[in-house]
Amino acid sequence: PRGTAGGVSSVRESVAVDARSDADLVAAARAGDREAAAHLVRRHWRGAWRRAYAITGRSALADDVAQDAMATALERLDDLGDADRFGAWLATIAARRALDALRSDGRLAPIEEAPDSAVEWVDLPGDGGEVRRAVATLPPERRVAIVMRFWLDHTPTEIAAALGVPVGTVNSRLARGLSELRRLLE
């Protein structure tokens, strides 16, 4: 009976943490509650990883980027203005870290000099792969804009904020990327 009660209590505590809002978890994590911080990680890890993977196209790099983004977010919780927006804030950090990772890999060059770079998500099963293969051939800056706009459903304004570039630059990258994709897919 004693073990059963402890199990029920444990389950109740877990459900109570799951029911807490991001704002509550952020406040608790700011106060030093490690369980609240761990729950923020569990709640938002997948989204951060998916964003990193969509941008980089490499699962190992996405692992590193998501981990770095999560660690940065937890270390800088005091910089977060609206605690209910933790997920969006983390997504922005992950997008910037993914782009930084591509840059540090030497994968971003001026548009005219950008090499074709293969990415892992080209051969995902079940989609035929034509569009993914075409997107993979885009210069990385255009690929990132296309992925964030059409796969992650961000507005140009959100993309600009995440990448730290003007909205006009995002619109230009989208227009050029779409033009190249049309040509490649004809």
Side-chain angles (χ1 to χ4, degrees):
R2 187 164 206 219
T4 304
V8 170
S9 174
S10 171
V11 169
R12 281 188 200 135
E13 289 171 11
S14 176
V15 170
V17 170
D18 285 343
R20 293 170 67 182
S21 70
D22 279 354
D24 291 340
L25 291 170
V26 166
R30 283 177 176 160
D33 183 340
R34 290 181 185 218
E35 181 58 32
H39 192 72
L40 283 169
V41 170
R42 285 189 300 274
R43 183 178 285 177
H44 293 285
W45 173 261
R46 183 179 175 123
W49 187 90
R50 288 182 66 210
R51 176 173 312 273
Y53 183 67
I55 291 170
T56 65
R58 295 170 36 211
S59 62
L61 187 54
D63 291 342
D64 294 341
V65 166
Q67 182 176 353
D68 181 51
M70 190 64 73
T72 298
L74 292 175
E75 289 170 6
R76 298 180 59 205
L77 281 176
D78 290 336
D79 295 346
L80 175 59
D82 182 359
D84 276 325
R85 300 214 14 97
F86 177 83
W89 184 60
L90 175 63
T92 297
I93 293 169
R96 287 183 178 164
R97 293 287 195 239
L99 193 55
D100 289 346
L102 290 177
R103 285 184 181 123
S104 70
D105 273 355
R107 294 184 182 273
L108 287 186
I111 296 295
E112 300 79 31
E113 301 170 17
D116 291 341
S117 61
V119 292
E120 291 174 5
W121 44 251
V122 170
D123 295 323
L124 290 179
D127 71 349
E130 289 177 33
V131 172
R132 291 178 190 268
R133 277 190 290 277
V135 170
T137 65
L138 293 175
E141 289 177 328
R142 292 180 193 167
R143 183 175 72 218
V144 168
I146 294 290
V147 166
M148 289 183 77
R149 178 69 182 112
F150 298 104
W151 292 356
L152 300 175
D153 294 323
H154 290 287
T155 66
T157 302
E158 293 168 333
I159 296 167
L163 300 179
V165 298
V167 175
T169 300
V170 170
N171 288 331
S172 174
R173 290 176 184 175
L174 288 170
R176 288 180 178 157
L178 289 172
S179 177
E180 287 179 52
L181 287 174
R182 280 186 206 100
R183 190 178 68 250
L184 290 167
L185 292 171
E186 285 180 344

